[in-house]
Amino acid sequence: MSAPTMEELLRLVAAVDLAPLVARLDDLDDATRKKLAKPVRELARSGEWGDPPRHLARGLSLLGPAVLPDARATAAWIRRSAGWRHSFDERSFDQPGNRIETLSPTSALVVEVLLRRDPSWLPALVRELADRLRFDRYNPDDYLLIERLRSRAGLPPPAVPVFAAMWVRTAWRSRRNEVDAVALVRAEPAYAELVPLAFEVDEIAGEMRHRDQLRRLADSGTVDRGVLLDALVARLQRGGRPQATNEFVRDLESLAPTLEEVAARTRDHLALLPPGSATSVATLAQHHLLELHSEGRLSPDEVLEMSRSVLARTEKKLLRAQLAHLQAHADAHPADADLSARAVSMALDNAAPDIQRKAVDLLNRLAPRLTPATAALIAAAGDALPSDLRQRLITSLGTPAPKPEAPLPQVELPPPPNPPGPVVPIETVEELVEELASILHSEPLAARGADLDRVVEALPRLGLLDREALRRAAAPVTSAGTYRYYQEHARHLDFTLRGALVALLASCLGDSRVPQATGSGGRLGAPARACCVRIFALADSVRQDPLVRVVALPSQVNGTIAANDLHTRLADAAAQSWSPDPVDLEQALLRLDLAGTQSEPFAALGSAAGRQVSEWVRAGGHRPPTIQVARAREYLDTLNMGSEERAAAKPRSSPMAEVRAAVNDPLSLGPLWSELARWSVPSGGLTVGWAPDDPFETWPLVLPHHPELVAAHLLPELSRARQTRSQGAAALVSLTETADTVGPALLLGLAYLTGGKHQEAWSAATDALLILASRHQLDAQAFGEVLAMMLERGDLVAKRLIIGLGDAARGGAAGEIWTALSHVLSHLLRGARTVVGVVDLLVLAAEVALLTGAQGAIDGLDDLASRTGRTRQVVEARRLLKILDQLPTAR
Amino acid sequence: MATQTLSYQRPSSLADSRRLVLETGGGTALRRPTDHPRFFEGWVTRPDVVAEGLRQVAQVAASEFWRRDRFAAGVDPVVTSDGRMLRFESFSLCGGVQARLDLTPEVLNGEVLDRGTTNIDINEPLRRLLTGVPADGLLHLSVGSDGLVATTADGAVIERRVSLSTRWLRGFAEAQQIASTFELRGELDGRHAATFLTSLPREGRGWVVPAGRGWRISSRAAPGSVHLAGSHRLASMLPLVRHARALRAYGPGVSLGAGPVASAWELALPGVNFVLMLSPDASRGFSGEGAALTALAAGGAVDDAEEIGRLLHHQPRLEPDLLAEQIGMTAGRVRSALACLAVAGRVGYDVTEASYFQRDLPYDAASVARLNPRLRQAEELVAAGAVTIVDDAVAEVVSSDRVHRTRVRADGTTACTCQWWITHRGSRGPCKHVVAAALARDQGPAA
């Protein structure tokens, strides 16, 4: 029969039944294949988005393998056509509704076409397909195609990790039948080579332990046990995602390697110990190596290498296990004292003071049995120990006193922050649009510092100057989706900063459709709501009187307005016959720097705004509101809880700061102050969540003279730092730069960040503590009391305080941190409630005491230190007590 | 995506934990052009440090730090011999980390046979064997071997086909240009280096500043601080930290409150330097940083680069001032030209010595510069007459039926009204419109 033409093939390709196409493809000769390759490729890209026309897709998936010239092109075609071959109608499901993992009918026809064609490059094609295979837990069709093709062609399974993993995933876990991996490999021994390869794929981690298949493969001898062990150890050496690594550790444990097998892989296990490997990996290696050591099967060099690697890590459990083992070994083998001591001395370099102390204790016990050479070696290794520990070590070793320790560097606090710089108004419409667009189009909303105010000030000013120029320049904004969205949804607008900016821009451009503020601000904080209220009000004012301009632009980047600047603006307003927007004027007053400001020049302006400012200056601004710590119960969503769960649920409560406006305020409350000067705990509970549209970094600029008040509003966001990443940390650092006094809200905020879960929080806390310390504004005693209160109530975890406080102490605020810590410890040691993590605070206190040269007593420390026993808490308490008693001589 | 074929005579091997043969493939050699250059034959001291360092270089090549994946194989590392030392370099699959291991004359005791750059094979079995190199004694190292024996089953060389994305290629090359803006910002001794590196949180992010004898991470930039994002990307240093003499941090100058920038971290080991260069964020590769776009777009820089390229003879250091004197160019032009050469993959930058060195990437290096999409698109815009110069500072560029206004600010920085610029605000180099405007200005009124 003659070779088919393209037209004939097209008819067959479009048919529902593809069997005739498969049969007709047998009649292709090489010349026709060559001729058809190009039109077939073009056809496959002739549909929408460069895909094949939908009705031809299934048939085309067969046509490629029939005409393409080589393995690479065919493999690429089969890979690309994976989506064309699958149809929901072709999937099979068992009775419970699970998908039956069988080759799809179209893929089976692809295999049929290839086998009938039988090209010389079929083995290369199988390899190419395996190389391109991706691990797919839910759709094994690509794997099944390769498997069918290679088995029917009589080819061995390709030794490719992903293919091996898909084989394990698919063949070992059939839902319909109990598949025995041992029987599978026995039926086709070539698969034995694939089992260790599967470990290369993260997604297969743990799969092979299903029904103990891995262990049975090894025990039955079907797969070489040594090869499996080697592959797993190599996999652990490589590292990777923690979850997968942990599963591979369990895989290795499931094989229960014997001592002989571990001994044959000693160096491999040693390589798993240095810092950098996962904790689970190091734990496993340490366990095996300690067993070897107990059996006397490690050389001295290997013992030292093991200790050096483990004792450079940070996991306390591993460190203590290592020291405990060395102690037990030294007790059981007195002759090994030198080696044990050298191994223990590796811990002297560890950064954890409690580990150093434990190592010193152990070395003290070993000291009488050490040779002079070893004693000298160990004395040298202890050079960098804290002074009290070094003294103890030297005394017990009986070695000559080493050269005097270099004095601790006098760590100076960073200098106080520079005075805030001026805010430079935007001069050109291009710059205005760049700044406006970068705020509007940021996700989540990002408006840094005074940028928002610069944009708000420039819009009416430059719009008045040349509205058409602004319209032309603003085209990238007005033609973008955000602007259109807010215009189209003007009546149902959410009350957000984006909406407010669009409203102001629309007013400045004279657009007819201006968004209206119709929402309440939802979960926006009060400072953000105040921003929105002002900008929406400005938009209204500008629409009614295009001459209106902004008077609340800060003079400095910290948000304050100089009296001269405000006077000039109001004088301009009077001269040009426009009145400032009342809300904007209130914002200006809240920002006005009252130091040295006279009321008379403003009164002399003769305008209503001037009189208002004059009255404000005479009154000295609003009376500061009262801020008190109150516990806020967290809102508990019981909607999806069962009755028992609801009954058992106990909502947590956290300390917040309630704000009450002063009752004797001589000034009337404007809309902004009404919003800002009050906050009470919601009766239904406090809901705190991610706030992507809350520009926290602009908050300090709303009330530059009331940082404590801003901090009170910021607390719900800062309290999130205990569980997740808080967005308010940068704002708190800015507040500490402007604060003259530090009240309860700022201290609570500092405490939340210091006890934060993530590094970003405690880094910001350290920055804030150092800024306050450099300005001598940190009331360390009050801070310590806040920390103690929160620790006692379970609001904070003691262990999480260590890094933030320790960094602040080492960064120069050791005196302040010592004061805070000593108050925390006094409260906790005297308190009736046991707080977890006190021992970590004791360890930190010892370090800080040495830094500051602190002396004196901590309430309750004597009692704790005098308890019997050698718990960590008691031992660390004794050490701290000793430092406080002996410090003058120790230093 | 470009596919490169790396050919080796046989797999690299480690015999008896004492004889390490690193097979070479491709690249260039100065004395004797060959497909499999031989650079070094001799002994190295501190075998455990060298072996672990090589293993970590290979690990970085096989890592995807953003997704926290680590594969069995990555793109083979590159070794450069300058007649004095050996530099092994690799680039992560995610394009955000570059690793370099320098073996200095302090650990090399043998004959440097040639100068040049080539790929080396570090296969998975070898990586595992490298963990077993003992600390004592010497290690015999051969970088390249004679080509008499072919050990593969079919008697042919080993061919490894690797797919190199254009992003990866550009990132590898552009990282050099970014590094050239770095300076030493801080140093820790070995003990405090270990404390700092082992105590880093898994996803640490911030600015590293001094705190007592050590370092801490601050939440905001300050002059002298070094940015660190994705601290897990420094994990390759951890297995080596036991041997560290010092840890040094390098970065560009930053002002208070600056945004994320790239950084480099040098672990000084006995006779060996291990350097990791990190992109500004784990989710960002070096390829998108637009580091050298300004230099590439500058008039004449490409011609200058060609001229300087002719003077390269694998010198240990390329001194801009000396080169300037040699060819009669200003030092500024030489630096721009070196930036072009870096982007073209022809020179690397060593932050520890603050100097360029010749390193012709053994890939299709010519394509590296050509593949810069922003430059290519900018050239297309200029060719299509889409650029209108309004005045000295402002230009209008028509692109995708929209008019974008670019401008040069008073401080020399640039800005544009396009979405790309609005998103990144200049933190990833100029956009294609700014580059097009610069090109059009260079070409004069005819543009």
Side-chain angles (χ1 to χ4, degrees):
Chain A
M1 201 170 176
S2 63
T5 61
M6 190 67 192
E7 289 71 28
E8 184 188 354
L9 287 176
L10 265 179
R11 279 197 305 279
L12 294 170
V13 161
V16 175
D17 180 9
L18 295 176
L21 173 66
V22 175
R24 192 70 178 100
L25 290 174
D26 286 345
D27 300 325
L28 286 170
D29 54 37
D30 285 348
T32 316
R33 286 193 177 103
K34 197 171 177 183
K35 204 171 84 180
L36 289 177
K38 193 176 174 189
V40 166
R41 279 187 165 127
E42 284 171 355
L43 185 61
R45 298 193 183 280
S46 61
E48 202 176 2
W49 308 108
D51 286 333
R54 190 170 293 181
H55 68 292
L56 299 178
R58 274 179 68 243
L60 273 172
S61 66
L62 273 61
L63 210 46
V67 302
L68 291 172
D70 56 31
R72 283 191 70 186
T74 309
W77 182 281
I78 292 174
R79 175 89 197 106
R80 182 170 171 240
S81 66
W84 315 344
R85 298 194 303 270
H86 303 156
S87 130
F88 192 81
D89 300 338
E90 291 183 350
R91 293 178 186 177
S92 320
F93 296 89
D94 62 11
Q95 197 62 30
N98 297 314
R99 187 173 168 200
I100 299 170
E101 292 170 342
T102 54
L103 186 64
S104 68
T106 312
S107 297
L109 290 176
V110 171
V111 173
E112 190 63 30
V113 167
L114 283 165
L115 290 171
R116 286 178 178 220
R117 184 180 173 185
D118 192 21
S120 59
W121 38 260
L122 206 54
L125 174 65
V126 169
R127 177 73 196 195
E128 287 275 355
L129 285 171
D131 281 341
R132 290 162 194 256
L133 184 65
R134 290 181 190 164
F135 190 89
D136 189 334
R137 191 176 293 279
Y138 306 106
N139 185 2
D141 199 62
D142 293 348
Y143 155 74
L144 291 169
L145 186 151
I146 303 170
E147 179 61 29
R148 169 83 62 95
L149 182 63
R150 74 103 206 148
S151 60
R152 288 197 50 196
L155 297 168
V160 174
V162 178
F163 181 83
M166 283 302 293
W167 169 66
V168 170
R169 167 73 193 149
T170 309
W172 292 28
R173 305 269 322 237
S174 167
R175 287 196 174 91
R176 288 186 298 173
N177 304 306
E178 287 299 308
V179 179
D180 181 8
V182 176
L184 277 177
V185 179
R186 281 193 176 139
E188 185 148 6
Y191 272 117
E193 192 192 338
L194 263 60
V195 177
L197 273 182
F199 295 130
E200 301 290 338
V201 180
D202 273 0
E203 288 81 355
I204 208 66
E207 293 269 354
M208 283 190 265
R209 289 203 313 279
H210 181 59
R211 293 204 305 272
D212 215 14
Q213 305 248 43
L214 189 62
R215 175 79 183 261
R216 290 196 292 119
L217 275 174
D219 289 351
S220 65
T222 322
V223 180
D224 186 277
R225 186 176 161 82
V227 171
L228 282 180
L229 288 173
D230 283 341
L232 275 165
V233 170
R235 184 65 183 79
L236 297 182
Q237 284 178 354
R238 205 177 83 201
R241 292 184 205 164
Q243 199 177 352
T245 304
N246 294 344
E247 287 294 340
F248 286 125
V249 167
R250 287 185 204 115
D251 283 345
L252 184 55
E253 283 173 335
S254 76
L255 291 177
T258 64
L259 212 57
E260 292 300 327
E261 286 169 334
V262 175
R265 294 167 182 80
T266 301
R267 288 220 63 81
D268 287 322
H269 281 76
L270 284 170
L272 298 174
L273 288 175
S277 61
T279 304
S280 58
V281 173
T283 306
L284 177 86
Q286 185 195 34
H287 171 73
H288 287 320
L289 289 169
L290 291 182
E291 276 185 348
L292 280 185
H293 185 218
S294 300
E295 296 294 321
R297 301 183 67 167
L298 285 186
S299 70
D301 282 347
E302 287 167 341
V303 175
L304 292 177
E305 186 176 345
M306 172 178 59
S307 293
R308 186 182 297 118
S309 298
V310 172
L311 295 173
R313 299 183 68 100
T314 53
E315 299 94 331
K316 295 285 179 70
K317 204 171 170 183
L318 286 175
L319 297 170
R320 289 191 197 112
Q322 189 72 16
L323 291 175
H325 171 85
L326 291 171
Q327 181 173 349
H329 183 83
D331 291 345
H333 303 86
D336 272 358
D338 274 1
L339 178 62
S340 298
R342 285 177 62 198
V344 171
S345 70
M346 309 291 181
L348 301 181
D349 281 345
N350 194 284
D354 53 334
I355 296 301
Q356 291 175 336
R357 195 261 311 145
K358 197 169 173 61
V360 169
D361 288 348
L362 189 46
L363 289 168
N364 286 349
R365 288 178 55 183
L366 292 172
R369 287 182 261 155
L370 300 182
T371 60
T374 305
L377 209 64
I378 289 167
D383 268 358
L385 283 172
S387 54
D388 64 317
L389 296 179
R390 195 176 70 252
Q391 190 63 43
R392 281 179 54 207
L393 184 65
I394 297 298
T395 308
S396 65
L397 290 172
T399 52
K403 60 182 181 184
E405 185 202 10
L408 283 171
Q410 283 298 315
V411 181
E412 289 181 8
L413 279 166
N418 291 328
V423 172
V424 181
I426 293 173
E427 290 299 333
T428 64
V429 285
E430 286 84 9
E431 188 187 355
L432 167 62
V433 172
E434 288 159 18
E435 298 290 347
L436 172 66
S438 70
I439 296 173
L440 278 180
H441 299 160
S442 56
E443 276 299 343
L445 189 77
R448 297 204 315 167
D451 286 350
L452 176 66
D453 277 297
R454 292 173 70 229
V455 167
V456 169
E457 187 274 339
L459 270 172
R461 176 166 52 85
L462 297 179
L464 179 65
L465 208 62
D466 188 346
R467 180 177 283 182
E468 280 313 303
L470 177 61
R471 182 182 295 283
R472 277 197 306 277
V477 173
T478 53
S479 60
T482 308
Y483 188 81
R484 288 180 186 166
Y485 168 84
Y486 282 109
Q487 279 205 315
E488 287 167 14
H489 296 77
R491 292 184 182 176
H492 311 287
L493 182 67
D494 238 354
F495 190 83
T496 65
L497 192 58
R498 274 183 234 271
L501 284 172
V502 168
L504 184 58
L505 175 61
S507 292
C508 294
L509 292 176
D511 280 0
S512 54
R513 301 188 67 177
V514 177
Q516 300 295 310
T518 55
S520 65
R523 290 210 304 248
L524 284 183
R529 284 202 303 274
C531 266
C532 292
V533 166
R534 177 168 77 97
I535 300 170
F536 272 120
L538 268 170
D540 274 344
S541 294
V542 170
R543 198 164 57 249
Q544 285 159 19
D545 179 3
L547 288 176
V548 168
R549 283 167 34 194
V550 171
V551 294
L553 178 71
S555 305
Q556 294 181 314
V557 291
N558 64 359
T560 58
I561 295 181
N564 282 347
D565 287 345
L566 184 58
H567 186 271
T568 307
R569 291 169 197 168
L570 294 184
D572 285 350
Q576 295 162 12
S577 305
W578 55 270
S579 299
D581 175 75
V583 185
D584 187 43
L585 183 60
E586 187 190 357
Q587 175 64 87
L589 291 172
L590 291 170
R591 287 174 169 168
L592 181 61
D593 188 357
L594 290 172
T597 300
Q598 303 294 318
S599 62
E600 290 77 12
F602 288 98
L605 288 172
S607 62
R611 284 192 293 277
Q612 191 178 339
V613 178
S614 172
E615 185 189 348
W616 179 278
V617 174
R618 275 200 307 277
H622 283 300
R623 297 282 178 271
T626 312
I627 295 176
Q628 283 183 330
V629 176
R631 292 198 75 81
R633 183 169 55 82
E634 285 178 15
Y635 171 73
L636 196 63
D637 185 4
T638 54
L639 197 64
N640 298 316
M641 288 184 184
S643 54
E644 287 181 15
E645 199 180 355
R646 196 176 301 145
K650 287 181 182 170
R652 287 198 331 168
S653 68
S654 304
M656 295 289 153
E658 282 198 328
V659 180
R660 289 199 183 89
V663 288
N664 57 347
D665 200 327
L667 297 166
S668 57
L669 300 183
L672 297 188
W673 189 248
S674 306
E675 190 80 58
L676 292 161
R678 64 179 181 204
W679 188 84
S680 54
V681 175
S683 55
L686 181 63
T687 307
V688 183
W690 187 51
D693 275 344
D694 224 336
F696 294 106
E697 287 188 55
T698 64
W699 284 24
L701 279 73
V702 175
L703 288 170
H705 304 297
H706 298 275
E708 182 68 13
L709 182 51
V710 179
H713 290 295
L714 201 55
L715 281 179
E717 174 61 25
L718 295 176
S719 69
R720 293 174 67 229
R722 293 171 299 173
Q723 284 97 30
T724 183
R725 296 180 196 278
S726 165
Q727 298 160 272
L732 188 87
V733 179
S734 299
L735 288 175
T736 55
E737 284 184 332
T738 55
D740 291 329
T741 54
V742 178
L746 272 170
L747 289 177
L748 277 175
L750 276 172
Y752 277 129
L753 290 186
T754 313
K757 182 179 182 183
H758 293 284
Q759 165 261 321
E760 288 94 329
W762 71 66
S763 290
T766 306
D767 290 337
L769 287 168
L770 289 173
I771 288 168
L772 290 174
S774 69
R775 301 171 63 189
H776 307 290
Q777 286 173 339
L778 178 62
D779 184 347
Q781 183 175 336
F783 183 49
E785 282 164 6
V786 168
L787 288 177
M789 178 268 291
M790 293 176 77
L791 287 168
E792 276 186 329
R793 297 291 296 259
D795 300 324
L796 295 177
V797 179
K799 203 171 182 175
R800 288 194 185 155
L801 298 173
I802 303 304
I803 299 181
L805 294 179
D807 279 348
R810 287 183 284 272
E816 288 81 356
I817 297 303
W818 168 252
T819 306
L821 264 179
S822 57
H823 272 83
V824 170
L825 285 171
S826 293
H827 275 78
L828 298 187
L829 296 179
R830 281 186 288 120
R833 191 179 293 188
T834 306
V835 173
V836 177
V838 170
V839 65
D840 296 304
L841 295 173
L842 287 168
V843 172
L844 177 64
E847 183 190 345
V848 179
L850 286 168
L851 280 175
T852 56
Q855 290 175 271
I858 293 177
D859 291 347
L861 189 62
D862 285 332
D863 293 343
L864 179 59
S866 60
R867 284 185 201 167
T868 54
R870 284 189 59 79
T871 62
R872 280 186 66 213
Q873 200 164 315
V874 171
V875 172
E876 294 300 340
R878 286 176 193 158
R879 182 182 168 219
L880 177 58
L881 195 62
K882 205 165 183 181
I883 290 171
L884 293 177
D885 288 345
Q886 297 183 353
L887 203 61
T889 53
R891 281 173 68 81
Chain B
M1 188 73 77
T3 302
Q4 303 256 336
T5 303
L6 307 179
S7 304
Y8 303 100
Q9 297 183 97
R10 60 180 78 78
S12 297
S13 60
L14 177 67
D16 309 327
S17 304
R18 292 292 179 195
R19 299 187 70 83
L20 175 60
V21 181
L22 296 174
E23 294 294 335
T24 61
T28 55
L30 188 63
R31 287 182 203 159
R32 196 171 59 125
T34 167
D35 290 338
H36 306 286
R38 294 184 68 198
F39 287 156
F40 181 78
E41 190 78 35
W43 297 92
V44 291
T45 55
R46 298 308 304 260
D48 55 335
V49 177
V50 172
E52 186 60 45
L54 280 172
R55 199 171 79 91
Q56 292 307 326
V57 167
Q59 293 274 47
V60 168
S63 297
E64 220 280 15
F65 289 98
W66 172 232
R67 292 176 52 203
R68 305 178 74 87
D69 273 338
R70 193 168 278 178
F71 299 96
V75 183
D76 286 339
V78 170
V79 61
T80 302
S81 163
D82 63 6
R84 189 175 60 95
M85 61 195 284
L86 296 171
R87 290 187 169 99
F88 298 85
E89 289 178 274
S90 67
F91 198 59
S92 67
L93 293 171
C94 59
V97 180
Q98 192 209 344
R100 204 183 71 231
L101 181 79
D102 296 343
L103 304 190
T104 67
E106 189 183 334
V107 289
L108 295 176
N109 183 8
E111 191 183 355
V112 178
L113 303 169
D114 208 339
R115 290 184 282 169
T117 306
T118 182
N119 286 107
I120 52 162
D121 169 52
I122 300 188
N123 47 65
E124 175 69 12
L126 176 66
R127 255 187 276 174
R128 192 174 161 215
L129 291 171
L130 286 172
T131 63
V133 174
D136 57 334
L138 298 170
L139 174 74
H140 190 271
L141 173 67
S142 306
V143 180
S145 61
D146 56 41
L148 298 177
V149 184
T151 55
T152 52
D154 56 0
V157 294
I158 296 172
E159 290 202 340
R160 188 172 304 147
R161 227 172 37 225
V162 290
S163 297
L164 303 179
S165 70
T166 53
R167 281 181 62 243
W168 188 93
L169 273 170
R170 275 191 293 120
F172 201 165
E174 289 192 23
Q176 314 307 311
Q177 170 55 17
I178 293 170
S180 69
T181 62
F182 291 179
E183 284 181 22
L184 178 64
R185 305 286 170 192
E187 180 170 348
L188 291 181
D189 62 21
R191 193 187 304 263
H192 289 96
T195 303
F196 175 73
L197 288 172
T198 54
S199 63
L200 280 174
R202 197 177 293 164
E203 295 284 350
R205 166 192 301 273
W207 298 83
V208 174
V209 294
R213 284 172 173 159
W215 288 339
R216 72 176 180 91
I217 302 181
S218 168
S219 63
R220 52 189 187 172
S225 59
V226 179
H227 186 248
L228 173 63
S231 53
H232 62 286
R233 297 186 293 171
L234 290 181
S236 294
M237 287 186 166
L238 289 171
L240 290 161
V241 80
R242 297 170 293 160
H243 313 287
R245 286 176 174 168
L247 174 67
R248 300 186 186 101
Y250 300 83
V254 291
S255 55
L256 197 69
V261 291
S263 58
W265 305 80
E266 176 201 3
L267 196 64
L269 304 158
V272 175
N273 287 328
F274 183 61
V275 182
L276 287 175
M277 187 172 163
L278 310 184
S279 62
D281 195 280
S283 63
R284 279 164 69 171
F286 284 108
S287 63
E289 299 298 307
L293 274 171
T294 313
L296 284 173
V302 176
D303 296 335
D304 290 349
E306 275 181 23
E307 194 170 344
I308 288 177
R310 285 192 284 273
L311 301 174
L312 300 181
H313 297 292
H314 291 281
Q315 302 95 319
R317 289 168 67 99
L318 296 172
E319 302 282 1
D321 293 338
L322 284 179
L323 285 170
E325 200 174 301
Q326 202 173 342
I327 56 178
M329 269 184 207
T330 64
R333 274 177 64 188
V334 171
R335 285 198 182 89
S336 290
L338 284 170
C340 290
L341 288 171
V343 174
R346 294 211 56 201
V347 299
Y349 188 81
D350 184 347
V351 285
T352 64
E353 296 195 346
S355 69
Y356 284 98
F357 61 94
Q358 187 182 355
R359 189 263 279 121
D360 292 287
L361 280 179
Y363 310 119
D364 179 12
S367 67
V368 175
R370 193 176 65 232
L371 290 171
N372 195 309
R374 258 181 274 170
L375 184 61
R376 196 186 64 233
Q377 289 161 1
E379 286 169 347
E380 286 168 6
L381 285 171
V382 175
V387 183
T388 308
I389 306 295
V390 177
D391 57 35
D392 285 349
V394 179
E396 287 184 348
V397 183
V398 182
S399 170
S400 307
D401 298 330
R402 285 190 184 175
V403 179
H404 303 286
R405 284 172 76 87
T406 73
R407 66 192 179 94
V408 183
R409 295 164 169 160
D411 61 0
T413 57
T414 54
C416 182
T417 53
C418 70
Q419 185 60 45
W420 194 89
W421 194 90
I422 284 164
T423 307
H424 300 298
R425 307 204 68 184
S427 64
R428 299 197 186 180
C431 64
K432 64 181 177 185
H433 311 111
V434 169
V435 177
L439 286 173
R441 280 203 178 85
D442 278 345
Q443 291 176 11

